[in-house]
Amino acid sequence: MGSTLDAFFPEMVAEWRAMGTEVVTAASTASKLHPFTRIPSLSRGPSMRNLLAPQQIRRWIGAVRPDVILTNTATASAISRVSQLSIPVVYFCHGLHWNQGRTASDQMWKMIEAGLVSRTAGVITINQADEEWFSPRMRPEQLLRLRFGVGVPLQNYSQFSVVPDGRVRLLWVGEFTDRKQPHDAILVVKRLKELGVDCTLTMLGEGPLLQRVRDHVKDANLDSIVTLPGRADVQNYMQMATALVHTAKWEGLPRVMLEALACGRKSYAYDVKGVRDIPGARLVLEGSPHLLADAIRSDVEVNGMSKSFSFDRNLLDVRKSAAAIDHFVMSLIRARA
């Protein structure tokens, strides 16, 4: 997706180009990263239109003649690996599509991914669970673990002091989808209000559940403390926030939680795959918004949540991630020469 490229890769691509690496991009929808090629038969999820994608990908490769393809989203990566390409494919895995791997859908994705391993030149993982899944299936030199994922452009996320007025300003950022569980954030702030905590909640993002969440806020009489501005730049909202609340069922490695770290903000979230890899996050049992609220109230009672969360933000620098990926991909190309 062009939106995925634009969200995670501009700074990384700039760094690769500064290293002397030529980069071209392709996706199913428009991107600001150029040179760019649209491959219309790709899609975010599996679709019948994907049947034409291998031919379109091969045509693109014939035109730009790359040495390697770096893929990220699951569908585009799977299609690239089954397309019998003449060049190696490296899968930048932003999160294997299962949490505990017990549902029928989880088992389907596991079978697909296991079948694609032999067609994968290398894998970049960003959480411990995914690294453990790939490790017995690939040689060590084919696998790279990025502890801080795509990293953070630190120049855009300065560290700010928490506003010291005693109010807890919670920020939620993500797509309004079932996996992100936005309704749980409403239940968190509702319980905090019942517990007498002076708090507000801002929810950034869009998605199919947005209107239902708006209705939930209205029905719960929380209009005065919950705002939903839609899609917006996170930086300014992070500056004003006291803490981040994250309610996803599972993740790869949530970029917004890394951004919170860069700004000195603590995160409150569920103990699920990908999320538990974030340093310093306060984690509770998945699906328990009341426990998130209790954890927040507990910290309010201890220190008023008035201090910035201390973390070595330089570890998050996107340039470190870019350099690690460049070194890894170049080593794979040399090994196949």
Side-chain angles (χ1 to χ4, degrees), residues 1-10 26-31 33 44 71-74 92 94 150 175 231 255:
M1 303 295 290
S3 58
T4 303
L5 293 178
D6 295 345
F8 299 122
F9 288 98
S28 60
T29 55
S31 167
L33 281 172
R44 184 166 186 170
T71 68
N72 57 93
T73 52
F92 190 167
H94 287 244
V150 295
E175 288 186 302
R231 188 185 297 273
R255 170 79 170 268

Side-chain angles (χ1 to χ4, degrees), residues 51-330:
L51 294 174
L52 297 176
Q55 179 183 1
Q56 294 170 1
I57 293 173
R58 288 193 292 269
R59 187 181 305 127
W60 172 58
I61 289 174
V64 301
R65 302 182 65 83
D67 296 297
V68 64
I69 285 185
L70 181 67
T71 68
N72 57 93
T73 52
T75 301
S77 176
I79 293 170
S80 297
R81 288 180 285 169
V82 301
S83 294
Q84 298 182 328
L85 305 181
S86 58
I87 58 174
V89 177
V90 177
Y91 181 19
F92 190 167
C93 178
H94 287 244
L96 289 170
H97 277 224
W98 58 82
N99 183 19
Q100 297 178 336
R102 297 172 181 169
T103 68
S105 175
D106 290 347
Q107 293 301 319
M108 178 195 72
W109 278 110
K110 281 188 173 184
M111 290 178 59
I112 292 172
E113 199 57 53
L116 291 171
V117 166
S118 63
R119 299 171 178 262
T120 310
V123 170
I124 301 167
T125 65
I126 59 178
N127 66 57
Q128 182 177 346
D130 289 350
E131 180 184 27
E132 291 174 350
W133 191 88
F134 279 112
S135 289
R137 296 170 171 83
M138 309 191 79
R139 299 190 305 275
E141 63 269 21
Q142 291 181 285
L143 189 60
L144 171 67
R145 163 78 182 279
L146 289 179
R147 186 183 176 199
F148 298 108
V150 295
V152 177
L154 295 179
Q155 69 276 12
N156 296 336
Y157 292 88
S158 300
Q159 189 163 2
F160 298 98
S161 298
V162 174
V163 177
D165 63 355
R167 170 169 286 188
V168 177
R169 296 175 174 84
L170 298 176
L171 178 65
W172 184 97
V173 182
E175 288 186 302
F176 285 74
T177 61
D178 288 333
R179 181 168 70 86
K180 298 290 187 176
Q181 303 187 114
H183 289 281
D184 281 19
I186 307 301
L187 297 176
V188 169
V189 78
K190 181 179 179 181
R191 178 166 175 83
L192 285 171
K193 184 179 179 182
E194 293 169 351
L195 294 172
V197 176
D198 182 10
C199 64
T200 63
L201 171 66
T202 300
M203 303 183 71
L204 301 183
E206 297 175 340
L209 297 182
L210 178 56
Q211 186 54 51
R212 288 172 61 183
V213 172
R214 292 186 190 277
D215 294 340
H216 187 174
V217 171
K218 183 177 180 180
D219 292 343
N221 295 316
L222 295 173
D223 309 67
S224 61
I225 62 173
V226 179
T227 57
L228 296 97
R231 188 185 297 273
D233 289 336
V234 175
Q235 298 96 312
N236 293 335
Y237 287 94
M238 195 74 76
Q239 177 182 351
M240 296 303 299
T242 308
L244 181 77
V245 60
H246 196 76
T247 54
K249 294 179 181 179
W250 61 267
E251 290 281 9
L253 190 74
R255 170 79 170 268
V256 69
M257 293 180 75
L258 298 177
E259 294 164 349
L261 276 177
C263 294
R265 297 298 182 265
K266 191 171 184 176
S267 294
Y268 296 80
Y270 291 143
D271 186 6
V272 295
K273 187 186 85 164
V275 174
R276 63 175 63 102
D277 294 273
I278 298 291
R282 184 81 182 265
L283 304 179
V284 304
L285 180 68
E286 195 273 322
S288 304
H290 64 288
L291 293 182
L292 283 176
D294 290 349
I296 293 168
R297 185 185 67 161
S298 173
D299 284 352
V300 169
E301 291 176 343
V302 170
N303 58 26
M305 297 178 65
S306 59
K307 295 182 179 179
S308 298
F309 181 72
S310 179
F311 183 78
D312 184 1
R313 52 186 265 113
N314 292 319
L315 295 173
L316 305 169
D317 196 334
V318 66
R319 294 174 296 182
K320 294 182 182 295
S321 296
I325 294 171
D326 185 83
H327 178 79
F328 175 66
V329 172
M330 294 303 175

